[in-house]
Amino acid sequence: MIRTRTDGDVRVVTLDRPEARNALRPADLTALREAFAEPEAEEGPPVTLLRGAGDAFCAGADLDAVAALDDPESFARRGQRVAAAIEESPSVVVCGIDGAAHGGGVELALAADVRVATPRATLAEPGVSLGLFGAWGGTVRLPRVMSEGDALDFALSGRVLDADAALRTGLVSRVVDDPRSVADEIAAGESDALAAIKRRMRDRRESGTQEDAEAATFADLHDAHADEIARLRGE
């Protein structure tokens, strides 16, 4: 179900189960985690595009698999590990949401660095209708991405957001016809700078420690690109 390929400066990871709107079973979660942990993910292109095949990004957890769970906590932990692998990937992860991103699909998107939607995108956390909620890091990441009020409204109501509403609430940063164009735009930057920006933005330590690391990283990049900076200054 998980396909990976490298295309220039972008690695493409595709959820490929379109007949089920790319719903995720336990084995699919394991394969997706491995896709973000394999050597190519560590040493490959600076940008990864996470996308879904067919007319949906990801409908979330496969409901047949959820109904059959004998260890639901383990299933939640498995999904959390996938989201962590996406978040901690050394490459910049762009999530291209085309069609439905519901439940676990939203949570995969939340773990990405950049979320962009096509005009056809819809996003929802419908777990509350089943007496559940998004347990693949959804309650942790949603209030970081949206305001707390918007996050609570979104999760408690189970309502569906279209692309424009997702943009207004900050759940996505752009609405574009082709998410690959955003991945290519980001990949045009210097790979070491991209990695450094991600590390600093993802740093959850207390602010003084973050600022020390930010200053040190800036100095390292300045030294690495001194000749280019001097050339641009002279133009």
Side-chain angles (χ1 to χ4, degrees):
M1 178 200 171
I2 309 302
R3 291 190 290 107
T4 64
R5 65 184 175 89
T6 296
D7 185 5
D9 289 331
V10 177
R11 183 170 181 259
V12 181
V13 176
T14 302
L15 311 180
D16 191 12
R17 194 185 173 211
E19 70 281 4
R21 298 198 305 162
N22 303 316
L24 296 164
R25 301 157 295 189
D28 302 322
L29 289 171
T30 298
L32 184 56
R33 184 186 179 199
E34 290 173 352
F36 279 91
E38 63 189 20
E40 187 178 353
E42 294 284 335
E43 304 164 5
V47 175
T48 298
L49 174 64
L50 177 61
R51 61 179 297 275
D55 61 2
F57 169 63
C58 176
D62 183 282
L63 290 182
D64 289 340
V66 172
L69 289 175
D70 55 11
D71 188 352
E73 183 174 349
S74 176
F75 185 66
R77 293 288 190 186
R78 191 190 296 248
Q80 289 170 355
R81 288 192 291 271
V82 173
I86 294 170
E87 187 172 67
E88 295 166 6
S89 170
S91 68
V92 174
V93 180
V94 176
C95 181
I97 303 169
D98 185 24
H102 293 177
V106 168
E107 292 169 290
L108 296 183
L110 287 170
D113 303 303
V114 178
R115 287 165 297 284
V116 297
T118 72
R120 302 186 321 116
T122 62
L123 298 93
E125 279 280 22
V128 68
S129 66
L130 301 174
L132 298 172
F133 64 92
W136 294 349
T139 60
V140 175
R141 293 185 179 90
L142 259 179
R144 294 176 183 168
V145 171
M146 309 166 80
S147 71
E148 184 175 291
D150 283 336
L152 283 163
D153 182 351
F154 182 58
L156 292 170
S157 68
R159 69 193 182 104
V160 178
L161 301 183
D162 64 17
D164 289 336
L167 181 63
R168 287 195 300 271
T169 59
L171 191 51
V172 301
S173 60
R174 306 192 208 183
V175 177
V176 296
D177 291 328
D178 181 8
R180 173 61 191 262
S181 67
V182 178
D184 287 336
E185 178 185 333
I186 292 172
E190 294 288 348
S191 59
D192 55 351
L194 297 177
I197 292 167
K198 173 168 180 170
R199 287 196 305 272
R200 298 282 60 80
M201 292 279 192
R202 291 297 199 183
D203 193 339
R204 302 296 182 197
R205 294 174 295 179
E206 60 91 19
S207 60
T209 303
Q210 291 181 37
E211 288 166 357
D212 289 345
E214 181 183 67
T217 303
F218 177 82
D220 289 342
L221 288 172
H222 183 276
D223 290 346
H225 296 280
D227 291 344
E228 183 179 357
I229 294 166
R231 178 181 60 77
L232 290 172
R233 181 174 177 269
E235 289 182 351

